[in-house]
Amino acid sequence: MNKKNQNPDRGDLQQNLSEKFVWAIAYGSCIGWGSFILPGDWIQSSGPIAASIGIFIGALLMIIIAVSYGALVERFPVSGGGFAFSFLGFGRYVSFFSAWFLTFGYICVVALNATAFSLLIKFLLPDVIEFGKLYTIAGWDVYITEILIASILLLVFMLISIKGASVSGSLQYYFCVAMVVVVVLLFIGSFFGSNYSLDNLKPYNGTHYGWFHAIIMIVAVAPWAYVGFDNIPQTAEEFDFPPNKTFKLIVYSLLAASMTYIMMILYTGWLSGGSSDLWLTGSVTREAFGTIGLGVLSIAIIMGIFTGLNGFLLSSSRLLFSMGRSGIMPSLFSKLHKRYKTPYVAIMFLVAITLIAPWLGRTALTWIVDMSSTGVSIAYLVTCLAAAKLFSFNKESQTYGPVYKVFAIIGSIFSFIFLLLLLLPFSPASLSMPSYIALGGWTILGLVFFFIRLPKLRRMDKDELSQLILDTRKRDVEKMIEE
C-alpha cells in the first residue's frame, strides 16, 4: 500500500481531561498571580471603578475572540490548537511563526510565575531569600536562594506534567477551588475591615486621566490579563467530553476570571485610603487583618502561581508536541512517555529553557514577558482570520456559519487593535524599548531556525501534513474552505 494512502501515526494521547479540569486549566491560567499583585498599579493609574469597567470590557472582547476558538475546536479537536488553526488558515510557513511566538509567550508566563513564587517568599521572609547575592541585573539583586526556590518549583511541575493531564487537571481544579474560596473570604471580610470605606474608591477614574483614557488603559492589557483561556484548545485531543462544549467552558472561565479581578480591585480600593505602597493589595490586607490576613492572601497568590505554572506548561508542551508530530519542529518533541502517554521530551525541553529565567533577574524577565504579549495577540489574530476564512455565508456550504463568520471578522479587528496597542510607540500600552529589543531578538532567532528547517518544510507531503496537524485530509479541508 502506498504510504500516502495510509493514516499517519498521530501518537496516543490519553483522553482523560474532564469538563471541570479543562475549565480549571483556563480559569487558573487567566488568574495566575496578577489579580493579587496588580490591582494597586491599576488603581493608581485608572482608579478602581474605571479599572473594573476596563477589565470587564476586556473579558467581553476576549469572549468575542473566543467564539472562533470554540468553533474551530468543534471542527478540529486536536492538540496544539493555536498551531493547528494557523496552519488551517495560512499553511505551514505562517503557522511556524505563529506557533513560534505563541510557545515563547507561554514559556514566559511559566518563567514569570516561577520567579513570582520567589518574590512572594522574599516579601514574606526577606531574611531567608536575601542570602548568597550573586550579581545585579537592571537594578535587581539576584540571590542564589531565589534561583534555587524557582528552579525546584519548575522541576516539581515538570514531574507533575509528565505524570499526565489527569494529574495536572485534577491538581489544577483543587488549586482553583482553594483560590476561589480565599478570594470570596477576603472580599466578604473586607466589609468588616477597620479601614473599609466606599469613599476610598474616589477618585473613581484616577487622578491622571479622563474616563475614556483610564478605561482604555486597562482594556489594552486584556490580552495579558486573560491569556490562558486559549490553553483549552491546546489540549483538545485529551478531552473526555464532546468538543462542542469548548466555547461554553471558555466563557465560564473568562467570566470567572473577570469577577476575580474585579473583586480584588474593589477589595484593594475600598481598603486603601489613598495609600501608594508598592504592593497595595498586600499592605491594605496587612493593615486590615494583620499577619493572619496576609497569610490567607498568600495562599491565594501561591494557588495562582501554581495554576499558572501548571496550565501553561501543559498547553505549551501540547503546542510543541503538535509541531513535532507534524515535522515542522524536530520529531523528538512528539515522543510520548511509554507509561503516562505524555510528551515528556517537550515538557523537559520547555522546563530546561525556563530554568534560565531565575538567573536573569526580575526586571530583565519582565521586559521579555511584556514582549510575549505580542505573541499571544498574533495567535488571537491568526485564529480569528482562520475562522473567518473557514466559515461561510453560503447556505450550501458544509461550513455554513454566518454567526461564526461575523464574530471571527469582529474578533480579527479587535485582535489587530490589541496588537497595535502593544506595538505603536504612542499607545498607552506600548512595549518598553527593552521589550522591543527582546521581540526583535526572538524574531531574528525564529528566522534563523525557520531557514534551517525550510528544506524540510518544503519537502513535506501536503496531505500527510494536514492529517498530522488537523486529523483531516487536505482535500477535505480545501473543500470546506472553497465552498
Side-chain angles (χ1 to χ4, degrees), residues 65-387:
I65 292 171
V67 171
S68 295
Y69 280 90
L72 290 173
V73 169
E74 189 173 344
R75 292 270 176 171
F76 303 100
V78 294
S79 270
F83 165 63
F85 305 150
S86 58
F87 173 80
L88 169 70
F90 302 99
R92 65 189 78 182
Y93 303 126
V94 172
S95 66
F96 173 89
F97 283 102
S98 178
W100 176 261
F101 282 104
L102 184 59
T103 304
F104 189 66
Y106 286 170
I107 290 171
C108 285
V109 178
V110 172
L112 193 67
N113 275 285
T115 58
F117 186 73
S118 291
L119 198 62
L120 177 64
I121 302 299
K122 192 173 187 176
F123 179 83
L124 297 173
L125 304 166
D127 294 336
V128 173
I129 287 289
E130 294 182 352
F131 173 77
K133 180 181 174 180
L134 299 177
Y135 44 78
T136 301
I137 295 183
W140 185 270
D141 294 335
V142 178
Y143 295 89
I144 187 63
T145 42
E146 62 182 327
I147 291 172
L148 288 172
I149 289 171
S151 300
I152 291 168
L153 191 66
L154 284 166
L155 292 172
V156 167
F157 276 93
M158 180 188 77
L159 294 175
I160 290 171
S161 294
I162 290 173
K163 285 279 188 178
S166 61
V167 176
S168 297
S170 58
L171 280 175
Q172 187 84 350
Y173 179 71
Y174 294 122
F175 291 154
C176 286
V177 169
M179 186 162 57
V180 169
V181 168
V182 171
V183 169
V184 171
L185 286 175
L186 286 171
F187 187 76
I188 294 173
S190 67
F191 295 109
F192 306 98
S194 57
N195 43 349
Y196 166 78
S197 174
L198 290 177
D199 288 337
N200 290 338
L201 296 176
K202 298 175 181 178
Y204 301 135
N205 60 325
T207 56
H208 305 296
Y209 309 105
W211 277 96
F212 179 76
H213 195 154
I215 291 171
I216 288 298
M217 283 186 67
I218 304 301
V219 172
V221 304
W224 184 89
Y226 294 111
V227 60
F229 82 82
D230 49 318
N231 283 349
I232 289 181
Q234 315 306 341
T235 58
E237 211 166 306
E238 295 162 90
F239 292 173
D240 71 354
F241 55 89
N244 60 4
K245 294 184 177 182
T246 301
F247 177 64
K248 175 189 72 174
L249 293 171
I250 291 176
V251 171
Y252 290 164
S253 66
L254 284 169
L255 290 177
S258 69
M259 289 301 102
T260 304
Y261 276 120
I262 290 168
M263 288 169 74
M264 292 310 299
I265 290 170
L266 295 177
Y267 165 91
T268 304
W270 58 45
L271 290 179
S272 65
S275 174
S276 58
D277 287 4
L278 184 61
W279 180 27
L280 190 56
T281 304
S283 64
V284 301
T285 301
R286 176 181 278 161
E287 187 177 343
F289 308 112
T291 307
I292 293 175
L294 194 61
V296 172
L297 176 63
S298 298
I299 293 172
I301 298 172
I302 290 169
M303 293 300 102
I305 290 169
F306 287 179
T307 56
L309 274 168
N310 195 40
F312 284 102
L313 192 53
L314 185 68
S315 60
S316 58
S317 64
R318 271 46 178 186
L319 198 59
L320 197 54
F321 164 79
S322 181
M323 294 176 75
R325 178 169 61 185
S326 69
I328 284 179
M329 289 290 271
S331 58
L332 183 66
F333 293 131
S334 65
K335 192 172 182 180
L336 296 179
H337 194 282
K338 288 183 179 180
R339 179 178 176 186
Y340 302 118
K341 303 298 181 183
T342 53
Y344 71 101
V345 175
I347 293 167
M348 290 192 294
F349 173 77
L350 291 167
V351 170
I353 293 176
T354 56
L355 284 170
I356 300 169
W359 297 82
L360 298 177
R362 185 75 177 181
T363 307
L365 183 60
T366 302
W367 295 336
I368 297 171
V369 171
D370 289 344
M371 175 275 288
S372 73
S373 300
T374 308
V376 175
S377 297
I378 290 171
Y380 293 162
L381 175 60
V382 171
T383 297
C384 289
L385 289 173

Side-chain angles (χ1 to χ4, degrees), residues 24-35:
I25 288 169
Y27 167 71
S29 300
C30 286
I31 291 301
W33 54 272
S35 60

Side-chain angles (χ1 to χ4, degrees), residues 4 6-10 75-79 83-85 87-89 91-92 95 237 322 325-328 457 460-481:
K4 290 186 179 181
Q6 295 177 339
N7 290 325
D9 182 17
R10 304 186 73 255
R75 292 270 176 171
F76 303 100
V78 294
S79 270
F83 165 63
F85 305 150
F87 173 80
L88 169 70
R92 65 189 78 182
S95 66
E237 211 166 306
S322 181
R325 178 169 61 185
S326 69
I328 284 179
L457 291 172
M460 289 177 180
D461 178 71
K462 292 180 180 179
D463 187 58
E464 184 177 7
L465 203 56
S466 183
Q467 288 183 73
L468 286 167
I469 297 173
L470 297 170
D471 200 20
T472 308
R473 289 189 177 278
K474 182 168 178 57
R475 63 174 178 266
D476 296 330
V477 174
E478 289 176 340
K479 190 178 178 182
M480 289 181 196
I481 295 175

Side-chain angles (χ1 to χ4, degrees), residues 14-49:
Q14 300 298 297
Q15 294 179 313
N16 51 17
L17 281 176
S18 67
E19 288 181 59
K20 68 179 184 180
F21 290 174
V22 169
W23 170 84
I25 288 169
Y27 167 71
S29 300
C30 286
I31 291 301
W33 54 272
S35 60
F36 310 105
I37 305 296
L38 296 177
D41 296 343
W42 293 341
I43 288 169
Q44 287 167 22
S45 65
S46 297
I49 303 302

Side-chain angles (χ1 to χ4, degrees), residues 397-414:
S397 171
Q398 61 176 298
T399 56
Y400 173 67
V403 174
Y404 287 153
K405 194 171 185 76
V406 168
F407 271 99
I409 293 169
I410 296 171
S412 300
I413 294 169
F414 286 148

